[in-house]
Amino acid sequence: MTDTKKRSWAEPFKIKMVEPLRMISREQRAKALAEAGYNTFLLRSDDVYIDLLTDSGTNAMSDRQWAGLMLGDEAYAGSRNFYNLEAKVRQYYGYKHLVPTHQGRGAEHLISRVLIKPGDVIPGNMYFTTTRLHQELAGGTFVDVIIDEAHDTTSTHPFKGDVDLGKLAAVIESHGAVKIPYVSVAATVNMAGGQPISLANLRQVRDLARKHGIKVVLDATRAMENAYFIKRQEKGNERRTMADILLELCSCTDACTMSAKKDLLVNIGGFLAMNDDALFEEARNLVVVFEGLHTYGGLAGRDMEAMAIGIEEAIDEEHMKARIGQVEYVGQGLLDAGIPIVVPVGGHAIFLDARKFLPHLTQDEFPAQRLAAELYLESGIRSMERGIVSAGRNKETGKHNYPKLELVRLTFPRRVYTQAHCDVLVESVVEVFRRREKIGGLKMVYEPKYLRFFQARFEPL
Ligand code: PM9
């Protein structure tokens, strides 16, 4: 019987252009997987049916954004699109200065070079792969100060991205404020499952850091999604706009790095933004060395225009409701089927708990890597390992880092897939779960030096 009280939501857009999908046969998928060394990053996109590898640069742009591309001012210096973007970043993120970069890691590179000295320590709410690598390449060491609940896939804490203030205070106490150039705060926290940080917690982080003269740098890559969670579930924020919350989030920090390929609905782009004039001066000096002139930072004028328009579309609450709603729809489907996932469901992805999915495998047998491979084999769906392979090696000992979280990420590009794709996804995961006991582990047969998850190769044990 139809529930007459239930009111469904629907996407606030209709589809104007389509890109055909095709599914190759199981035999072809098995061959493709072996050729890719059981690494979903090494599959050809043509061999993928539903691509949930990432939400990075894979979003569908709107008709307004495509029109914006035609307004690209490709002047080498002083492009009008830069000034449009600068105005939007000031309006919505509130920082005084903007340094465009080709993508997020370009911004991470610059800020790490400017602020970190060899021997420094950077506390943060869980590592992110590229962020931590740039901190390490600049001579720093990342220290995780996220709350313990973030490492527990079953904890239903609503803000698992929060910083543990006791842990942060202890890092400051043991290393001294002079060794800590900044606190690295992500909103939302990707590796924890897309979990948000609360405004109350960020205010406390700011107060503690300021007391010791330490900066706070925000990874604002998915900060709009974080603002949505604050509005929905942090007391006292229900009546505020997402835009207002975003401004306050940023105002608690001194600078931000941004991969615009996520929240901001573009295929390429990023930036560094800050209030401090001296920091801006240094970043502007370096951007011309590594990215491009300070008014394009490795981007075409048209890319900056699409980003400026994307900011306004992404801050729209109907857009965000549908975006997060889609992720939650899949999450609920998987939970109803008894599949172990990280709860609460986060902003950009569903994370399968590979330890619980494949409890007969040890972490050295790369359970999440194998599970991602198996899901591809089952259904042509591409996902991403977020476990021991992504965690890399300890920079001192050279041994594997063993993260508590051994996850497979099913990541949702914005405005790309329909509810029918979501249903196919849930059914496919359930099918793999049904035959989970027969799934074996992997051994790593090739390991690159940096960010090994991108290019490592594996074979079945
Ligand atoms: N994130 C993702 O799929 C892209 C590739 S995986 C390394 O989640 C955060 C929170 C990110 C992020 C990229 C970057 C780097 C910084 N911070 O990929 O260089 O999620 O634009 O951004 C990916 P870029």
Side-chain angles (χ1 to χ4, degrees), residues 11-17:
E11 289 81 0
F13 56 82
K14 56 185 177 176
I15 296 166
K16 178 142 54 181
M17 188 188 284

Side-chain angles (χ1 to χ4, degrees), residues 53-65:
L53 182 72
T54 179
D55 62 333
S56 181
T58 52
N59 305 300
M61 292 209 297
S62 67
D63 51 359
R64 286 183 65 234
Q65 286 178 294

Side-chain angles (χ1 to χ4, degrees), residues 19-322:
E19 182 181 339
L21 291 178
R22 89 189 164 115
M23 166 117 82
I24 58 173
S25 69
R26 193 180 183 96
E27 291 69 40
Q28 287 170 317
R29 294 200 296 278
K31 185 163 171 282
L33 195 57
E35 279 172 10
Y38 286 73
N39 185 344
T40 52
F41 277 101
L42 300 179
L43 289 167
R44 286 167 183 251
S45 158
D46 278 346
D47 294 337
V48 173
Y49 174 46
I50 298 175
D51 202 346
L52 305 180
L53 182 72
T54 179
D55 62 333
S56 181
T58 52
N59 305 300
M61 292 209 297
S62 67
D63 51 359
R64 286 183 65 234
Q65 286 178 294
W66 281 102
L69 294 184
M70 298 308 292
L71 301 176
D73 169 6
E74 307 306 343
Y76 187 86
S79 160
R80 100 171 61 86
N81 312 116
F82 167 78
Y83 296 105
N84 290 348
L85 178 61
E86 186 185 51
K88 293 292 170 216
V89 171
R90 282 186 181 148
Q91 181 182 347
Y92 289 102
Y93 291 90
Y95 300 103
K96 186 169 159 199
H97 301 296
L98 171 72
V99 180
T101 58
H102 76 284
Q103 59 182 82
R105 68 199 74 179
E108 292 170 344
H109 175 211
L110 298 183
I111 195 124
S112 302
R113 272 194 178 243
V114 173
L115 293 180
I116 300 172
K117 296 184 302 306
D120 280 353
V121 168
I122 305 95
N125 55 348
M126 200 174 272
Y127 85 99
F128 185 70
T129 52
T130 57
T131 321
R132 183 179 65 188
L133 180 60
H134 280 295
Q135 291 163 352
E136 288 178 354
L137 290 173
T141 301
F142 176 82
V143 182
D144 187 6
V145 293
I146 203 165
I147 55 171
D148 288 342
E149 286 87 340
H151 294 281
D152 175 0
T153 57
T154 61
S155 161
T156 53
H157 192 296
F159 289 101
K160 281 165 110 174
D162 279 358
V163 169
D164 182 323
L165 295 158
K167 287 186 194 170
L168 178 58
V171 173
I172 299 172
E173 171 77 27
S174 67
H175 295 277
V178 287
K179 286 268 173 225
I180 302 176
Y182 60 91
V183 183
S184 183
V185 178
T188 58
V189 181
N190 192 346
M191 302 300 279
Q195 305 293 329
I197 182 171
S198 65
L199 206 41
N201 182 257
L202 187 57
R203 289 189 199 117
Q204 289 174 312
V205 171
R206 171 203 59 197
D207 292 346
L208 182 58
R210 286 221 178 121
K211 196 170 111 195
H212 293 276
I214 299 170
K215 291 186 166 51
V216 178
V217 176
L218 177 70
D219 183 336
T221 297
R222 297 183 185 87
M224 288 192 188
E225 290 176 3
N226 202 119
Y228 178 79
F229 283 114
I230 289 173
K231 179 178 167 71
R232 210 175 63 174
Q233 61 209 33
E234 186 170 354
K235 228 172 159 350
N237 293 282
E238 305 83 353
R239 289 169 177 278
R240 299 176 69 182
T241 61
M242 257 173 63
D244 186 36
I245 295 169
L246 180 67
L247 269 180
E248 193 187 341
L249 269 175
C250 296
S251 76
C252 292
T253 70
D254 299 282
C256 85
T257 54
M258 167 66 81
S259 169
K261 300 168 72 173
K262 285 81 165 173
D263 259 1
L264 302 189
L265 302 166
V266 288
N267 303 125
I268 193 71
F271 58 79
L272 181 61
M274 69 286 280
N275 294 319
D276 186 86
D277 297 338
L279 177 57
F280 176 53
E281 179 67 22
E282 266 308 295
R284 235 165 47 135
N285 276 329
L286 284 183
V287 75
V288 297
V289 181
F290 295 106
E291 301 279 318
L293 195 74
H294 59 279
T295 55
Y296 76 84
L299 296 170
R302 55 181 173 270
D303 299 328
M304 292 188 283
E305 192 62 25
M307 202 194 305
I309 298 169
I311 292 178
E312 293 220 294
E313 293 185 0
I315 199 74
D316 177 74
E317 294 181 16
E318 287 305 306
H319 158 76
M320 198 56 85
K321 196 163 135 195

Side-chain angles (χ1 to χ4, degrees), residues 323-379:
R323 191 279 184 285
I324 307 277
Q326 183 176 52
V327 182
E328 289 177 344
Y329 174 80
V330 172
Q332 197 53 53
L334 292 172
L335 286 171
D336 290 346
I339 305 294
I341 64 169
V342 174
V343 289
V345 168
H348 64 306
I350 296 292
F351 290 71
L352 304 176
D353 185 343
R355 284 182 193 274
K356 294 217 173 84
F357 208 111
L358 302 174
H360 52 285
L361 300 186
T362 65
Q363 206 169 11
D364 289 306
E365 293 169 330
F366 308 110
Q369 188 76 31
R370 183 62 194 253
L371 181 52
E374 212 60 32
L375 183 61
Y376 171 74
L377 185 65
E378 177 64 39
S379 57

